[in-house]
Amino acid sequence: MNIRNEADVTTATAPTQAVLTAGDRCDRCGAQAYLRVELQTGGELLFCAHHAREHGEKLREIAAAVHDETHKLDTPSASSEA
């Protein structure tokens, strides 16, 4: 009799570094989010550029990771170049 043993497989989830989209909204005011803060406790918060600047120092103290896309506000969009 041929018995096939399968190894237990464990998977790890990579940190979320996905690009923020127009659908991602600031948890404070509802504007488009440009900053994702992954908390040390496991949750995440999203902030617009204004609230990211306002709360940035405190956010970095409680963050496990910060994904900042505020630089996108400095580049002109294709629609404004016309």
Side-chain angles (χ1 to χ4, degrees), residues 62-73:
I62 63 171
V66 176
H67 180 78
D68 187 344
E69 295 186 9
T70 55
H71 65 277
K72 289 181 175 181
L73 295 170

Side-chain angles (χ1 to χ4, degrees), residues 27-67:
D27 289 324
R28 184 85 172 137
C29 69
Q32 184 173 346
Y34 288 94
L35 187 87
R36 173 185 290 116
V37 179
E38 295 178 25
L39 303 173
Q40 295 172 4
T41 57
E44 76 174 15
L45 296 170
L46 300 175
F47 290 97
C48 64
H50 166 78
H51 286 111
R53 283 190 299 274
E54 183 177 339
H55 303 291
E57 187 175 316
K58 197 66 165 170
L59 290 171
R60 292 186 196 293
E61 290 176 14
I62 63 171
V66 176
H67 180 78

Side-chain angles (χ1 to χ4, degrees), residues 9 12 21 23 27 62 64 81-82:
V9 177
T21 68
D27 289 324
I62 63 171
E81 292 176 5

